[in-house]
Each structure stands twice: as C-alpha cells, then as structure tokens.
Amino acid sequence: EKFFEWAKPQISEAQPDALSGLVFWVYNHYMITKDKVFLEKSWDSVKKAMALIEKQTSIKSGLVIPVFWEEKLGIGYHSVAGIYSAFNLGSKIARALGNEHYANAWDGTAEKIRESRKSCSHETFHASYRDRDVEASLLSLAIPFGMVEPWDEKMRKTVEKIVSVFWPGPLTLVLKKKSVIPDIVTAGLDTVAVRLPGHWIARALIRSSGRPV
C-alpha cells in the first residue's frame, strides 16, 4: 500500500528502513511463489528503491546516515540491519534475473555494512551496538534481517535478559536443535521451540516426568 497505487510504483524519498522493507517483501514474495514474472515486473521498483537507499548510506563507513529520531534515541542499528538486508536480498533478486553487475555490487556493499558493525566510531549505530548489551530491537539484526548470526554475543545477552524477565511464563524460544532431540519432535526442522510454563500444575507434571514434555 505504501509503495504501490493502481499497480504503478510510487517510490519517493523515504526513510531507508521503509525502502528496505520493499526489497525484503519483493524477495520473500518471490521465494514463496517462485513467480518470475512478478520479479521481472518489480525489478524497476527494486532498482529505484536501492538507488534511494544508496543515497542515504555513508560511502566512508558503509552505514546508514542517521535520521533525527534515530540520532535522538540511539537506535540506528535497526535501519542499518534493514539496509544490509536490502543489499543482500537485492543482490539475490538481481542474480535471479541475470543482472550480475548489480548483484556483485550490492553483495560487496552488504559485506561492507556487515563488517562495519565491528568498528568503533562516533556514528549512531556503532555507539548503540557497542554500548547496549540488552535491547529488544537488537534482535532485528538477526531476525529477520540476517546481519548477524542468532548466536552472536549481543543476541545471546538480549535473549538471556528477556528470559530472566518472562520465564517461567508465556515466552517461546526457537533454538538450534541438538542431536539428542528426535526429528519427530521438530518435524524434521533444525530448530526446536522451548517454553517454561508459569502454571504450577504444568511445571509439576514436567518435573514428575523427569524430562521435557
């Protein structure tokens, strides 16, 4: 709705995370539907969104140039992760359409952004990423944007803090499955969902069984 009206792209200057969302949506729609015609029709919109994102990315650092509200709140990492995702997925879109020039260029930018998070500088993202061990929005770096691995130290500390507050209780963690967990429990997936219920009866049953339920 934000970018399309009457089946025509309506892309203009916008916050980079919003533009990144367009690229993210196009790629994931294609992965679900495998609709190559849709991808071809979306290509011009993707290129325009990427061009606008590039204008809002610092050539020196490879990071998004902070906008006022991110500067004020110190949460530039969310937009940085979105922009990383746009370059990463934009390259996959380009490669699926045989546009290797765009794919290689955007791959290089994505990698530069990923590596830049390890640097130290005055920029908003570095300060927020370096100084904050626990911040729910940090999780977006891992899911859905994939800029860092889910087991990154920052992600681990954030999850540990969330668990300390909400467990026992209505919180489900999706974790990498270890070999001791049968495939039938996870429907063959490599992840497993884990909960620690807050109700005393449920916890008594689990304790009595001596094993996960």
Side-chain angles (χ1 to χ4, degrees):
E1 289 180 357
K2 193 166 189 176
F3 295 106
F4 289 87
E5 291 178 12
W6 305 108
K8 293 181 180 179
Q10 303 292 322
I11 300 176
S12 59
E13 296 285 349
Q15 288 182 197
D17 54 346
L19 292 166
S20 301
L22 170 65
V23 180
F24 184 89
W25 171 75
V26 168
Y27 176 76
N28 282 281
H29 179 81
Y30 170 67
M31 291 303 294
I32 293 170
T33 65
K34 303 301 181 183
D35 186 347
K36 193 75 169 283
V37 174
F38 162 81
L39 205 61
E40 291 168 349
K41 289 181 176 179
S42 301
W43 176 236
D44 284 344
S45 297
V46 169
K47 285 194 297 182
K48 187 170 182 180
M50 294 301 296
L52 290 171
I53 290 171
E54 287 176 321
K55 284 175 60 179
Q56 300 179 60
T57 304
S58 167
I59 296 174
K60 181 180 179 181
S61 68
L63 296 176
V64 60
I65 300 169
V67 295
F68 74 94
W69 64 274
E70 291 175 331
E71 189 73 50
K72 182 177 180 180
L73 298 177
I75 53 175
Y77 45 78
H78 178 79
S79 286
V80 172
I83 285 180
Y84 164 79
S85 174
F87 282 109
N88 181 41
L89 300 183
S91 71
K92 297 180 188 300
I93 293 171
R95 192 158 281 121
L97 295 174
N99 295 304
E100 288 296 323
H101 170 74
Y102 285 102
N104 292 333
W106 293 341
D107 267 340
T109 303
E111 186 56 31
K112 184 177 181 180
I113 294 172
R114 183 199 285 269
E115 289 302 311
S116 70
R117 82 181 193 277
K118 301 174 183 177
S119 307
C120 291
S121 83
H122 65 280
E123 295 202 37
T124 299
F125 172 76
H126 289 129
S128 6
Y129 184 80
R130 184 183 64 242
D131 298 339
R132 296 186 181 192
D133 283 337
V134 177
E135 167 61 59
S137 297
L138 274 171
L139 296 176
S140 67
L141 273 68
I143 300 170
F145 297 131
M147 185 175 171
V148 302
E149 299 294 348
W151 44 87
D152 178 88
E153 184 182 4
K154 293 283 184 181
M155 305 302 108
R156 180 180 59 79
K157 288 183 177 179
T158 297
V159 170
E160 287 175 353
K161 181 62 176 179
I162 293 172
V163 167
S164 71
V165 173
F166 291 103
W167 264 13
L171 172 69
T172 301
L173 298 183
V174 180
L175 307 171
K176 279 286 185 180
K177 176 177 85 73
K178 292 189 175 182
S179 58
V180 295
I181 300 176
D183 286 344
I184 193 172
V185 174
T186 62
L189 299 176
D190 63 352
T191 55
V192 61
V194 180
R195 287 188 76 160
L196 180 60
H199 198 283
W200 70 271
I201 294 179
R203 293 175 66 188
L205 287 172
I206 294 170
R207 193 178 298 111
S208 299
S209 70
R211 64 187 66 191
V213 175

